[in-house]
Amino acid sequence: MELTGVGVGRGVAVGPILRMPDPLPEPAEGPRDSTRTEAEEFARVQSAIEAVAADYNARGEKAGGEAKEVLEAAALMAQDPTLLDDVRNRVGSGSTAERAVFDAFRQFQDMLIGLGGYMAERATDLGDVAQRIIANLSGVPAPGVPESDTPFILVAPDLAPADTALLDLTKVLALVTSQGGPTSHTAILARSKSIPAIVGVTGALELTDGTMIVADAASGRVTVDPSDEVVAEAERRIAERKAQADAPITDGALADGTKVPLLANLGSPAEAANAVQLGAEGVGLFRTEFLFLDAKSAPTVESQQASYTELLSHFPGKKVVVRALDAGADKPLSFLNDAHEENPALGLRGLRALRASEQILRDQLTALANAQAATEADLWVMAPMVADAEETEYFVELGRELGLKTVGVMAEVPSLAVLADQVFTAADFVSIGTNDLTQYTLAADRMLGSVAAYQDPWHPAVLRLVRMLGDAGALAGKPVGICGEAAADPQLAVVLVGLGATTLSMTPAALADVRAELATVTLDQAKAKAAAAVAATTAAGAREAAAAL
Ligand code: PEP
Ligand code: MG
């Protein structure tokens, strides 16, 4: 039997599946077992909580690192005295232990969700704690991520960040989900960890634990109970990919020799060495705001200069594109914009916020110019969330005044693509941020699961904007890079090159797959795939049209 979905990456895996268990049913409201007293019922809760907390701590001890912190925090949540008091009161009013835990935790979760942001995310974690306590009380296995001493392919509806923090990724051969799209959390995780994944596989949840499958991300196919030949072919490809990964790394190029430099997206200088090892030919996006997410006041010139110099020193003679602070929406920086906004994605963010606090921007550009002078790297600097040529001119002029050599802008707001010809008269280069460009083109909040299906950079509307930028860049003789998640999708990377992208920047773990895919097509073939994709009417149609050639 074969199931199909959307493959992430080009990997293939063979193994038995383990299913993420379904959540427990809601405990019945019904009356309590009359043979137990109130004190006995509450004692059941206490011993369940003790067992669950001990289990979290033991697993934390085993996992170590970041997972240990997450698990220990969950143990503390399980033992929260306020929650325990609430459970005691509910048992006192006649509730069963299971129902009392369910109601008390749900009330607390609702309150956290009401607070929004970081607090709301903790509600998911609290839900996991409640499920484990109820499972213990009911004598059924705990839901949540499966554990296994041997490697397996994880099958789930979709994975939440809280699930993946607890998952031993060294045991996971591949991820198969019934929901989610190519930009879901599962897909992003798979790309960053180089785990093959197939998302949106209808029928995946009907598979039972232990079933052998071959998950082929390159074709998006799941073969259930595969024949010996299918297994042998998959194993041959796994060995081939391993050999490829061990072979000396070449620069990014198409089959006809056209160069497509492959660059890294980084969030801290500490990530540079690994990127170089994976063959990054430079940096295509350094997200400076990641250095200062916890800062209460604007960073000084000196502290920034030290970070940028450290980053640049890893790339002598190589291109490093640094982005000015991108504050707002998913990355709030209180020192740039602390105001409450109804729609922060449409608010005072990116270059708009920098312009409103020009001294902070001047300090950052000065620190960058100093780092440029102190190192051998080829520093390019760009502004985020730029809308038009006037904003482009503002940023480029300021950058030049403060001593920067190469100054450009990100294309994330559709208006910039529409005005690309005007933008290129001022900018030295443009780098397309497909994450935000998709969000704004399809009017779909990139943080919101309910509209995740719209967040697909394969959408022909997004591809046409990329083509406008590619055409304008070619006419002006200036580079057009891609630095959004789209560049990490090997098939889409080919289409983007066909639309005029001159460099691709991505999470370093994706470099190998993109490099391998580019080497299979000529520029003419990439252009033909691009033409087929932009002529499609839907994202899925574009994906199919490009694959069919
Ligand atoms: C983007 O929007 O595509 C991008 C690269 O920037 P970020 O993901 O940091 O918003
Ligand atoms: Mg962005």
Side-chain angles (χ1 to χ4, degrees), residues 448-516:
L448 198 61
S450 55
V451 292
Y454 289 91
Q455 254 292 321
D456 191 336
W458 277 95
H459 196 287
V462 179
L463 298 181
R464 288 182 184 206
L465 291 175
V466 172
R467 182 174 63 180
M468 291 171 90
L469 288 155
D471 288 350
L475 211 61
K478 293 184 176 174
V480 180
I482 309 277
C483 65
E485 278 290 318
D489 171 342
Q491 280 78 21
L492 185 49
V494 167
V495 167
L496 295 169
V497 170
L499 294 171
T502 54
T503 57
L504 300 171
S505 189
M506 65 205 73
T507 172
L511 287 165
D513 279 349
V514 172
R515 187 183 294 116

Side-chain angles (χ1 to χ4, degrees), residues 233-314:
E233 168 60 13
E235 278 169 353
R236 187 193 64 71
R237 286 199 22 224
I238 292 168
E240 184 184 271
R241 280 174 59 76
K242 177 150 189 334
Q244 254 172 18
D246 294 344
I249 295 171
T250 52
D251 284 352
L254 302 180
D256 56 14
T258 308
K259 293 257 179 256
V260 184
L262 298 179
L263 311 169
N265 287 355
L266 301 181
S268 110
E271 296 164 10
N274 176 50
V276 171
Q277 203 174 11
L278 293 172
E281 296 167 56
V283 177
L285 169 63
F286 183 73
R287 292 177 160 109
T288 56
E289 63 281 358
F290 281 16
L291 297 174
F292 309 112
L293 287 178
D294 294 329
K296 294 280 170 289
S297 55
T300 62
V301 173
E302 292 72 31
S303 75
Q304 293 190 72
Q305 192 175 321
S307 300
Y308 305 147
T309 304
E310 186 189 343
L311 169 74
L312 294 181
S313 62
H314 285 275

Side-chain angles (χ1 to χ4, degrees), residues 8 50 70 89 126 171 202 221 230 253 266 271 293 314 324 384 403 419 490 498 525 543 545:
V8 178
E50 259 171 53
V70 173
N89 290 338
L126 203 63
K171 292 283 176 343
T202 310
R221 266 201 293 271
V230 172
L266 301 181
E271 296 164 10
L293 287 178
H314 285 275
L419 300 168
Q525 286 168 328
R543 204 178 264 112

Side-chain angles (χ1 to χ4, degrees), residues 135-150:
N136 182 290
L137 285 166
S138 325
V140 299
V145 295
E147 290 167 47
S148 167
D149 291 331
T150 51

Side-chain angles (χ1 to χ4, degrees), residues 124-429:
T124 315
D125 300 342
L126 203 63
D128 182 66
V129 175
Q131 291 262 308
R132 283 173 184 276
I133 299 171
I134 295 168
N136 182 290
L137 285 166
S138 325
V140 299
V145 295
E147 290 167 47
S148 167
D149 291 331
T150 51
F152 63 96
I153 295 175
L154 179 64
V155 175
D158 197 6
L159 294 175
D163 300 325
T164 51
L166 306 182
L167 195 61
D168 178 2
L169 291 171
T170 60
K171 292 283 176 343
V172 180
L173 298 165
L175 302 169
V176 174
T177 65
S178 61
Q179 296 167 20
T183 52
S184 61
H185 181 75
T186 305
I188 291 170
L189 172 87
R191 257 182 229 118
S192 71
K193 302 282 181 195
S194 287
I195 299 173
I198 310 179
V199 298
V201 181
T202 310
L205 297 183
E206 269 103 74
L207 300 173
T208 49
D209 281 356
T211 306
M212 284 296 291
I213 64 169
V214 170
D216 179 359
S219 67
R221 266 201 293 271
V222 173
T223 311
V224 182
D225 294 324
S227 64
D228 291 349
E229 293 82 69
V230 172
V231 171
E233 168 60 13
E235 278 169 353
R236 187 193 64 71
R237 286 199 22 224
I238 292 168
E240 184 184 271
R241 280 174 59 76
K242 177 150 189 334
Q244 254 172 18
D246 294 344
I249 295 171
T250 52
D251 284 352
L254 302 180
D256 56 14
T258 308
K259 293 257 179 256
V260 184
L262 298 179
L263 311 169
N265 287 355
L266 301 181
S268 110
E271 296 164 10
N274 176 50
V276 171
Q277 203 174 11
L278 293 172
E281 296 167 56
V283 177
L285 169 63
F286 183 73
R287 292 177 160 109
T288 56
E289 63 281 358
F290 281 16
L291 297 174
F292 309 112
L293 287 178
D294 294 329
K296 294 280 170 289
S297 55
T300 62
V301 173
E302 292 72 31
S303 75
Q304 293 190 72
Q305 192 175 321
S307 300
Y308 305 147
T309 304
E310 186 189 343
L311 169 74
L312 294 181
S313 62
H314 285 275
F315 298 96
K318 300 272 173 64
K319 172 164 129 182
V320 177
V321 186
V322 174
R323 169 170 79 187
L325 291 166
D326 183 18
D330 49 328
K331 294 167 294 196
L333 292 180
S334 59
F335 58 86
L336 267 170
N337 180 9
D338 218 5
H340 172 77
E341 296 175 333
E342 211 49 66
N343 293 298
L346 305 180
L348 187 72
R349 55 171 311 191
L351 182 63
R352 304 167 188 185
L354 291 167
R355 215 169 170 178
S357 303
E358 194 183 280
Q359 193 54 47
I360 294 178
L361 176 57
R362 283 179 170 270
D363 285 352
Q364 183 173 32
L365 299 182
T366 302
L368 283 163
N370 293 349
Q372 172 184 264
T375 61
E376 302 298 315
D378 179 16
L379 174 67
W380 296 22
V381 177
M382 62 186 182
M385 305 295 304
V386 180
D388 57 23
E390 189 278 330
E391 288 191 350
T392 305
E393 279 160 21
Y394 165 78
F395 185 74
V396 173
E397 272 169 28
L398 192 62
R400 295 223 201 290
E401 177 195 322
L402 296 171
L404 294 169
K405 283 198 298 255
T406 310
V407 190
V409 292
M410 288 188 76
E412 301 182 286
V413 184
S415 57
L416 194 103
V418 174
L419 300 168
D421 56 329
Q422 299 176 358
V423 168
F424 272 109
T425 60
D428 292 328
F429 69 98

